[in-house]
Amino acid sequence: MALRKLGDSAYLYPGSPSTLLRVVDGGAVLVDPGHGSGRHKDLRRELRKLGLPLKAQLATHGHADHVAVSPKLDAPLFVHRFEFSIAESPLNREILTFGSRAPRGFLAYSAGEVKVHAVFEWGDELFGLEALKLNGHSPGMTGFLDEENGLLYAGDSFFGERLIGAVGVPYLVDWALFRESLTTLRGFAEKGYLLIPSHGRPVKGDEAVETLEFNLNRLEEVEKLALEFLRKPMTVEELALGIMGHYRVEVTPQKLALNLVPLRALIAELYNRGLIEAVVDNGLRWVVKKE
């Protein structure tokens, strides 16, 4: 794979996640270095081709697939302060994804300890990039706005249709915040910015708006489906199986575990809005409130 030039000072190295390479005075900055046994070597090779030393690494968030190779690249790593302990601690990453320590090999990605050298706040400018609040997928999910090159590296604040089709429900930890971030992204799409998801190809203009609408529509569909299913008491696991079945998603332990996270977030959202209630009936179950 080779770098794709996005602008006068921006390149994209493809992958899942893709890595943004931003040229800055006297060097380069990488956004989401990624994972994989040879990823760090690939990125170093591309930097050598450009004749640029690596000055820093930025992470949209602390999930393992975004930061795993960071320790192998000789440059400081910056993350939002809400992501600090997630990026640094393998156990914290497992807890966020699984709710506790996960069975060995159960999660799609894993990584050892990752050293974070500095934290930032939303609104900060880092190496010519503005840190934007796009949380919901994770507590401190951050997009990086590059005004000079007319692009927004959006991380996991939205997903391509293919990925959502494979899992059923977008991975998120806060239903309302994820929706709010999609609305924010739509504003940038309508202004003509190139939107770059970590997993999927960059989109712009009408295609960007359509992709964001697909994400928003999936949230709305899942909400309606959940309220239909919960006309009778169900566990979160039963709800997840029902929704995965509706979207014809292959049920594997790993996919089911991933879907349980956003659906627990949906349960909290519906409960807080007064639409469902909890009952104990051979386990903790949820049901639509009677009028």
Side-chain angles (χ1 to χ4, degrees):
M1 291 186 288
L3 287 176
R4 172 185 170 186
K5 191 172 177 64
L6 301 178
D8 291 339
S9 56
Y11 299 82
L12 192 69
Y13 189 77
S16 188
S18 296
T19 300
L20 180 68
L21 188 157
R22 178 63 156 82
V23 179
V24 296
D25 292 339
V29 173
L30 297 178
V31 179
D32 281 3
H35 69 101
S37 59
R39 182 76 171 188
H40 59 295
K41 297 178 183 178
D42 295 338
L43 293 173
R44 283 177 181 160
R45 181 191 67 234
E46 297 304 323
L47 288 165
R48 284 196 302 270
K49 287 180 182 178
L50 295 173
L52 297 170
L54 181 59
K55 297 184 71 173
Q57 304 174 77
L58 308 178
T60 57
H61 59 299
H63 287 169
D65 55 324
H66 293 255
V67 300
V69 303
S70 177
K72 298 179 180 179
L73 295 165
D74 188 21
L77 174 67
F78 295 66
V79 301
H80 188 274
R81 63 186 176 88
F82 290 170
E83 298 288 324
F84 179 89
S85 63
I86 299 167
E88 288 217 325
S89 167
L91 179 56
N92 284 352
R93 284 186 235 120
E94 290 187 25
I95 291 170
L96 184 67
T97 305
F98 192 71
S100 66
R101 177 169 292 284
R104 185 172 299 167
F106 200 75
L107 302 180
Y109 303 104
S110 62
E113 292 184 11
V114 173
K115 175 67 176 176
V116 174
H117 300 83
V119 296
F120 58 79
E121 300 281 357
W122 292 311
D124 287 352
E125 184 172 324
L126 303 137
F127 309 99
L129 301 172
E130 181 184 352
L132 295 181
K133 178 179 181 291
L134 291 176
N135 56 343
H137 171 79
S138 69
M141 172 69 223
T142 298
F144 292 101
L145 179 65
D146 183 348
E147 290 280 8
E148 180 180 322
N149 294 288
L151 62 86
L152 171 53
Y153 187 89
D156 287 354
S157 57
F158 79 104
F159 300 102
E161 295 184 20
R162 184 175 179 181
L163 189 148
I164 292 177
V167 297
V169 185
Y171 183 91
L172 55 89
V173 296
D174 188 301
W175 201 265
L177 287 176
F178 191 83
R179 182 191 284 114
E180 182 181 310
S181 293
L182 290 171
T183 302
T184 298
L185 287 168
R186 178 166 182 152
F188 284 98
E190 291 172 344
K191 292 177 182 176
Y193 287 86
L194 177 70
L195 303 187
I196 306 170
S198 291
H199 306 280
R201 59 189 182 83
V203 288
K204 187 176 183 179
D206 290 342
E207 186 179 13
V209 172
E210 289 170 6
T211 303
L212 296 171
E213 284 297 313
F214 182 85
N215 281 254
L216 283 164
N217 289 339
R218 180 55 59 99
L219 296 186
E220 292 175 5
E221 288 173 7
V222 172
E223 278 191 35
K224 291 177 181 177
L225 280 171
L227 290 171
E228 286 295 322
F229 280 121
L230 294 177
R231 290 184 182 277
K232 65 175 184 179
M234 300 184 82
T235 65
V236 181
E237 287 82 0
E238 290 167 339
L239 177 62
L241 288 169
I243 288 175
M244 292 174 75
H246 174 85
Y247 289 113
R248 299 182 180 179
V249 173
E250 177 190 10
V251 178
T252 66
Q254 290 80 5
K255 286 185 178 182
L256 179 57
L258 283 174
N259 274 298
L260 287 174
V261 177
L263 290 175
R264 287 192 190 103
L266 176 57
I267 288 293
E269 174 76 8
L270 297 176
Y271 182 88
N272 291 341
R273 282 157 51 185
L275 298 177
I276 63 173
E277 59 186 352
V279 296
V280 177
D281 178 13
N282 290 320
L284 179 61
R285 297 176 187 272
W286 305 89
V287 64
V288 171
K289 272 189 175 182
K290 295 179 180 179
E291 296 181 0

